[in-house]
């Protein structure tokens, strides 16, 4: 009676199976690329008020030499096709590790589709990039090098050639990783850059002194009212979470606020159909930064789950007053505009995250929230190691 | 030696006094339990009735649009006050971001899904809601802090 | 300790990621599983939207949250590729049966790009005993055939006459019926007239034909105090007993729920408005929740869409594959397992793979 499961497959079904297979392989492949995610973490104390311990992969322990090598690599403009772009170009150490531009400029002044997030406290994210397409700093650091609108290298070998030809690098790689020039690979470069970025943390803001340092005078009356709004009526706490003993102001999740989404919504059906039929999914780093349609799909471009349409990662709020403009596309120039966006319940669309809704804040309440956000600025920001 | 004896005697008399006092209070207490007005059966019925009246008021509030600004009712998500878990408070409440009491969570629900105005913690409505919720969860084991 | 904890979390997150990657096409592309069993029908997909409970406040004002739930389901169904053949609407379009609510609901549903098959719920019915619904929306019970499958729609939310007559006004009757945990409630039933109609409708249908029954209340008995219950369920089950494969899809319970009674598989639909708790969470009275059901997570009330969702079904050779699309939660696929003889959750059925309970109440 019973016929085996795959006994009757028509050609259409075969097509779908193939499609699923392709998706699956790409999915597996992208998981493999994130291999370092499987590494266990150890934690080292941050020693900074308001910050939790810093997670460090066991296979990439911190050392002073590695951090300073990472810092040098981070600032090296030779790792771009026209010699103009380093990591520090868009994540400027002297500007709270952002570039203050709407969307970043890469080689030949080419622009991408997304606002450069700060490196400050990026170590605490469980995924990197606005759509979380990399799981750690090591994985993140390699992608912009190859992106045609960022560093524009044709392959990581371009970078390795530069490193190998520079005696200072070869001797430092030798002392940090114990490897000869021939064995230097992009992963070593990524590990060094990530180690450097793990030192780019900042806390001890007036808010931290008030909340975790028991200094009741650290915040103004207005900022304290703002904090209460933040926890209650303004509904900030649920995503930009403040913990019991520390705060990194994130939930490690992705949300659709409707920002930028209306640009693609009328064509959404067409875009998704194209994506389902194309073999380039999950979407590549290059496509996300060069194709506005793919970019605005947000987290969906990584997962393919309809729930993730137009959803972007919750960013930290630490030093938020220093890192304008805001949102994944840099479309909001001031914090006032960001508060207004939330107050009106985001930009209405069918995939709007369900915690987002009109808040009915008064002018005074908005001003109080703003004072609170400004209290998240650290008095001292980390700088480049000498 | 003498001192010690004297002390022992004093000690003994204290025990005697203690035993005498205990017996006296025990008898007096038992008698008063049986006969005093406060423990009258009819009073107990009255008190129970007062409590159940409060529960009924709470039930009505819980099943009506009165608390909210958008006609949404508590019972929509919590029929028979299920999933309210009063026995787990105080506990860390994610939505409030701190260790909170049941009354604070009731107010959170009134302000958020119901879009209404929060109640004072001693508002008779708040007490009625608390009574109804607790009554529906009667016989649950206390588990403060539990998630 | 802390470290072990986190890496376990990471692991879970990772497996979540893998799952998401492999699920990619499932939300947008029909799944191909090939032939199985003795199916005689073409493969097809239909979608389910149920229990939006659109609530009129006043004027043109409706509860925003519930509108958003229905809109989200409609928009997502419209993005399915290929499109489902039709959408089944599982009932309770309105909260209090008002014309404003039904009109508003029809306006939202008109955005669906595929035809809709309507099932009525008690919230749509008890204000005017289904008059407006029958005028403007749909018949209350009917049947249709689609690609070799026979579909029957039942009005399962009828109740006893003396209860209906008990109330002074239609509004009072509606309000009493709208309260789920109402001690003055009255059990649902299909009723003798419809059972006679059903017998007649099924007379000429061969027993090998896959049969799908659509109702609002579950056509079995789960928990009477909340009307997760149909009083004459056994009679209906016996009418359906001659068929090899029967699947009942029902709304009303706003939760993931599935069961097998003899030849009949039962699946509940999610609501787009809010989730109901499982009856077992009420400790004061007993219930008959199907043991095989792997419960859904408790929802976080901050996120209004948590605990709500929609579903689609792949009909493939006499057996159904139910895809629960759970917003803000892990999607679930539940399908009939030949060897188990009942629906099985493809990922979470085994105790060791159960979804870890959510901890943020």
């Amino acid at each position: 009676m019973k016929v085996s499961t795959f006994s009757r497959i028509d050609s259409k079904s075969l097509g779908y199976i193939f499609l699923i297979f392709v998706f699956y392989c790409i999915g597996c492949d992208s998981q493999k690329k994130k291999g370092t995610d499987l590494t266990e973490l150890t934690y080292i104390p941050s020693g900074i008020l308001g910050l939790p311990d810093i997670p460090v992969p066991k296979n990439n322990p911190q050392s002073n030499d590695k951090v300073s090598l990472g810092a040098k690599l981070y600032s090296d403009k030779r790792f771009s096709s026209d010699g103009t772009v380093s990591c520090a170009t868009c994540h400027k150490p002297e500007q709270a590790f952002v570039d203050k531009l709407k969307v970043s400029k890469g080689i030949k002044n080419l622009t991408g589709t997304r606002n450069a997030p700060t490196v400050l406290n990026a170590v605490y994210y469980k995924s990197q990039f606005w759509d979380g397409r990399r799981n750690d700093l090591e994985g993140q650091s390699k992608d912009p090098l190859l992106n045609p609108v960022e560093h524009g290298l044709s392959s990581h070998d371009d970078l390795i050639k530069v490193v190998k030809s520079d005696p200072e690098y070869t001797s430092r790689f030798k002392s940090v990783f114990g490897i000869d020039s021939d064995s230097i690979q992009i992963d070593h470069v990524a590990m060094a850059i990530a180690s450097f970025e793990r030192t780019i943390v900042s806390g001890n803001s007036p808010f931290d002194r008030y909340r975790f340092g028991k200094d009741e005078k650290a915040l103004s009356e207005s900022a304290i009212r703002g904090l209460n709004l933040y926890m209650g009526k303004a509904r900030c706490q649920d995503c930009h979470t403040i913990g019991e003993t520390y705060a990194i102001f994130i939930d490690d999740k992705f949300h659709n606020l409707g920002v930028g989404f209306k640009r693609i919504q009328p064509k959404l059906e067409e875009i998704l159909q194209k994506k389902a039929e194309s073999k380039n999914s999950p979407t590549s780093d290059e496509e996300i930064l060069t194709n506005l349609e793919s970019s605005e799909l947000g987290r969906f471009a990584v997962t393919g789950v309809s729930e993730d349409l137009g959803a972007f990662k919750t960013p930290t709020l630490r030093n938020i007053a220093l890192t304008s403009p805001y949102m994944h596309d840099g479309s909001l120039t001031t914090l006032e505009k960001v508060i207004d966006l939330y107050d009106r319940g985001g930009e209405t669309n069918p995939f709007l995250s369900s915690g987002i809704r009109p808040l009915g804040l008064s002018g005074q309440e908005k001003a109080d929230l703003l004072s609170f956000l400004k209290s998240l600025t650290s008095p001292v920001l980390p700088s480049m190691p000498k | 030696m003498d001192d010690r004896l004297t002390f022992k005697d004093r000690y003994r008399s204290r025990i005697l006094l203690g035993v005498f006092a205990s017996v006296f209070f025990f008898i007096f207490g038992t008698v008063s339990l049986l006969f005093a007005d406060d423990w009258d059966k009819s009073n107990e019925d009255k008190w129970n009735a007062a409590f159940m009246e409060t529960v009924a008021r709470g039930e009505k509030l819980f099943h009506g649009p009165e608390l909210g600004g958008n006609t949404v009712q508590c019972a929509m998500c919590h029929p028979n006050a299920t999933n309210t878990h009063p026995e787990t408070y105080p506990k860390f409440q994610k939505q409030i971001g701190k260790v909170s009491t049941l009354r604070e969570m009731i107010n959170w629900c009134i302000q958020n899904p119901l879009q209404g105005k929060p109640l004072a913690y001693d508002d008779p409505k708040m007490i009625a809601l608390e009574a109804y919720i607790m009554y529906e969860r009667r016989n649950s084991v206390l588990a403060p802090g539990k998630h | 300790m802390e470290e072990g904890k986190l890496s376990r979390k990471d692991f879970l997150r990772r497996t979540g990621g893998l799952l998401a990657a492999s699920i990619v096409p499932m939300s947008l592309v029909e799944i191909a599983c090939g032939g199985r069993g003795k199916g005689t029908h073409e493969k097809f997909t239909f979608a389910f939207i149920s229990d939006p409970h659109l609530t009129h406040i006043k004027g043109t004002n409706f509860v925003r949250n519930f509108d958003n739930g229905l809109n989200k389901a409609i928009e997502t169904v419209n993005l399915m590729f290929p499109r489902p053949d039709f959408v089944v609407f599982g009932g309770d379009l309105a909260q209090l049966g008002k014309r404003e609510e039904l009109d508003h609901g029809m306006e939202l549903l008109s955005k669906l790009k595929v035809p809709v098959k309507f099932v009525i719920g008690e919230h749509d019915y008890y204000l005017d005993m289904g008059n407006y619904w029958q005028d403007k929306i749909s018949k209350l019970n009917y049947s249709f055939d689609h690609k070799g499958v026979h579909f029957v729609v039942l009005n399962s939310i009828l109740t006893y006459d003396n209860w209906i007559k008990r109330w002074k006004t239609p509004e009072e009757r509606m309000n009493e019926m709208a309260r789920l945990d109402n001690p003055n409630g009255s059990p649902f039933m299909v009723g003798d007239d419809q059972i006679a109609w059903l017998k007649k409708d099924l007379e000429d249908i061969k027993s090998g034909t896959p049969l799908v029954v659509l109702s609002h209340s579950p056509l079995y008995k789960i928990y009477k105090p909340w009307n997760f219950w149909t009083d004459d369920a056994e009679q209906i089950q016996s009418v359906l007993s001659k068929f090899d494969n029967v699947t009942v899809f029902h709304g009303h319970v706003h939760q993931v729920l599935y069961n097998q009674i003899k030849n009949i598989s039962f699946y509940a639909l999610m609501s787009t408005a809010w989730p109901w708790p499982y009856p077992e969470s009420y400790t004061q009275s007993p219930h008959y929740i199907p043991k095989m059901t792997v419960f859904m997570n408790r929802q976080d009330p901050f996120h209004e869409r948590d605990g709500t969702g929609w579903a689609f079904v792949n009909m493939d050779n006499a057996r159904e594959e139910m895809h629960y699309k759970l917003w803000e939660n892990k999607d679930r696929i539940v399908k009939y397992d030949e060897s188990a003889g009942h629906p099985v959750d493809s990922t979470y059925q085994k105790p060791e793979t159960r979804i870890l309970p959510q901890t943020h109440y």
Side-chain angles (χ1 to χ4, degrees), chain B residues 59 76 80 93 95 136, chain C residues 181 226 274 276 282 300 361:
Chain B
E59 184 187 10
M76 279 182 174
N80 289 115
Q93 194 69 52
Q95 296 79 8
E136 287 284 40
Chain C
D181 56 354
W226 293 355
W274 72 83
W276 288 122
Y282 188 50
D300 174 354
Y361 291 165

Side-chain angles (χ1 to χ4, degrees), chain C residues 163-356:
Chain C
W163 185 88
I164 294 168
K165 287 177 191 146
R166 188 176 155 186
W167 311 106
K168 285 188 214 90
T169 63
E171 287 76 20
E172 190 181 5
R173 181 177 64 212
M174 182 68 251
N175 280 323
E176 291 290 336
M177 189 48 98
R179 176 175 165 182
L180 187 81
D181 56 354
N182 192 351
N184 299 321
S186 182
F188 294 139
M189 59 187 195
V190 172
D192 295 342
D193 291 353
Q194 260 188 111
I195 291 175
W197 169 84
L198 180 65
K199 277 184 190 154
K200 198 161 181 329
D201 182 77
L202 298 178
E203 224 166 47
D204 299 328
I205 313 284
K206 291 198 185 90
S207 64
T209 307
L211 180 67
V212 172
V213 181
L214 309 168
S215 64
H216 182 68
S217 62
L219 294 179
Y220 64 112
K221 294 176 172 175
I222 302 165
Y223 189 59
K224 202 168 182 179
W226 293 355
N227 243 342
F228 288 11
W229 190 272
T230 303
D231 234 19
D232 45 10
E234 288 88 355
Q235 279 170 268
I236 297 144
Q237 290 169 18
S238 99
V239 176
L240 305 175
S241 63
K242 73 163 178 171
F243 291 90
D244 298 338
N245 296 315
V246 186
T247 313
V248 173
F249 294 99
H250 64 88
H252 187 61
V253 299
H254 301 200
Q255 58 196 224
V256 172
L257 194 75
Y258 48 93
N259 198 9
Q260 181 81 28
I261 300 173
K262 292 176 188 159
N263 62 325
I264 310 173
S265 308
F266 296 87
Y267 297 87
L269 304 175
M270 299 299 290
S271 159
T272 60
W274 72 83
W276 288 122
Y278 288 97
E280 77 155 21
S281 53
Y282 188 50
T283 45
Q284 311 299 339
S285 60
H287 61 85
Y288 310 100
I289 277 279
K291 266 189 190 163
M292 71 185 69
T293 293
V294 176
F295 285 7
M296 64 183 191
N297 253 333
R298 276 204 61 195
Q299 69 284 4
D300 174 354
F302 181 91
H303 297 280
E304 295 155 352
R305 294 274 69 73
D306 197 3
T308 64
W310 61 287
F312 69 88
V313 177
N314 279 322
M315 284 303 287
D316 181 19
N317 281 332
R319 284 303 185 191
E320 66 295 334
E321 191 176 77
M322 176 74 163
H323 292 242
Y324 282 104
K325 306 300 289 177
L326 306 179
W327 294 321
E328 312 246 351
N329 241 304
K330 289 184 179 113
D331 288 346
R332 308 260 299 265
I333 301 169
V334 186
K335 56 185 172 184
Y336 186 83
D337 182 312
E338 297 286 349
S339 57
H342 62 77
V344 165
D345 185 303
S346 59
T347 311
Y348 304 110
Q349 194 69 41
K350 289 183 192 147
E352 61 270 24
T353 57
R354 291 280 154 101
I355 304 163
L356 295 177

Side-chain angles (χ1 to χ4, degrees), chain A residues 138-375:
Chain A
E138 282 84 352
Q140 187 279 332
S141 65
K142 292 185 279 188
D143 289 352
L145 295 166
L146 302 184
N147 201 300
V149 296
E150 297 186 293
H151 297 245
L153 298 180
S154 58
S155 86
H156 286 136
D157 292 344
D158 301 356
L159 178 150
I160 298 298
K161 264 183 222 153
V162 176
V163 169
K164 285 178 179 173
S165 68
D166 182 335
E168 200 198 326
Y169 271 135
T170 52
S171 83
R172 287 173 78 168
F173 272 91
K174 174 87 183 166
S175 68
V176 170
F177 294 102
I179 49 171
D180 292 330
S181 164
D182 289 349
S183 310
I184 299 172
Q185 289 175 357
I186 188 64
D187 284 337
H188 298 112
V189 175
M191 284 162 91
I193 293 174
S195 291
F196 159 65
E197 289 176 329
R198 286 196 174 91
T199 67
I200 308 301
V201 293
S202 73
N204 195 28
S205 64
F207 156 77
D208 294 304
R209 292 198 297 277
Y210 175 82
R211 171 89 182 214
F212 305 116
K214 299 200 169 113
D215 174 0
E216 285 175 22
K217 291 187 181 131
L219 288 190
S220 69
E221 301 257 308
S222 168
I224 292 170
R225 287 195 301 272
L227 172 59
N228 289 331
L229 286 161
Y230 184 98
M231 303 297 280
K233 185 177 177 185
R235 297 168 67 87
C236 314
Q237 154 73 7
D238 211 86
C239 301
H240 298 285
T241 306
I242 296 172
E244 289 287 84
T245 55
Y246 59 79
I248 39 180
F249 300 92
I250 58 171
D251 60 355
D252 284 311
K253 288 183 186 163
F254 303 83
H255 303 280
N256 174 323
L257 308 177
V259 173
F261 198 67
K262 59 173 169 276
R263 282 200 285 252
I264 59 164
Q265 212 194 321
K267 287 199 290 178
L268 197 53
E269 199 181 324
E270 192 188 315
I271 295 168
L272 293 182
Q273 185 159 345
K274 221 162 48 188
K275 275 191 77 64
E277 283 165 350
S278 102
K279 291 170 191 171
N280 292 332
S281 196
T283 318
S284 70
D285 187 76
E286 174 183 342
E287 199 190 332
I288 286 164
L289 282 201
T290 54
N291 178 339
L292 199 62
E293 287 178 1
S294 293
S295 175
E296 293 303 344
L297 292 173
R299 179 70 174 163
F300 177 87
V302 181
T303 63
V305 175
S306 56
E307 190 62 18
D308 291 330
L309 280 167
F312 292 88
K313 187 175 72 175
T314 306
T316 181
L317 297 184
R318 288 194 172 277
N319 301 297
I320 195 72
L322 306 177
T323 59
S324 67
Y326 304 105
M327 319 317 282
H328 70 274
D329 56 359
S331 57
L332 300 182
T333 48
T334 63
L335 285 173
E336 285 87 343
K337 286 181 181 167
V338 177
I339 292 171
D340 282 340
L341 170 79
Y342 284 105
D343 184 48
R344 64 177 182 270
E347 302 287 352
T348 307
N349 76 86
F351 302 97
L352 186 72
S353 261
S354 64
I356 305 296
R357 64 161 201 233
L359 302 172
L361 299 173
S362 68
Q364 181 62 48
E365 287 172 328
K366 289 179 185 177
D368 291 339
L369 265 179
L370 187 63
S371 317
F372 171 69
L373 291 174
K374 285 180 175 167
S375 81

Side-chain angles (χ1 to χ4, degrees), chain B residues 39-53:
Chain B
W39 291 92
D40 189 290
K41 178 78 177 110
S42 69
N43 263 350
E44 202 182 321
D45 290 346
K46 253 188 265 170
W47 295 336
N48 283 341
F51 172 68
M52 288 312 293
E53 226 170 81

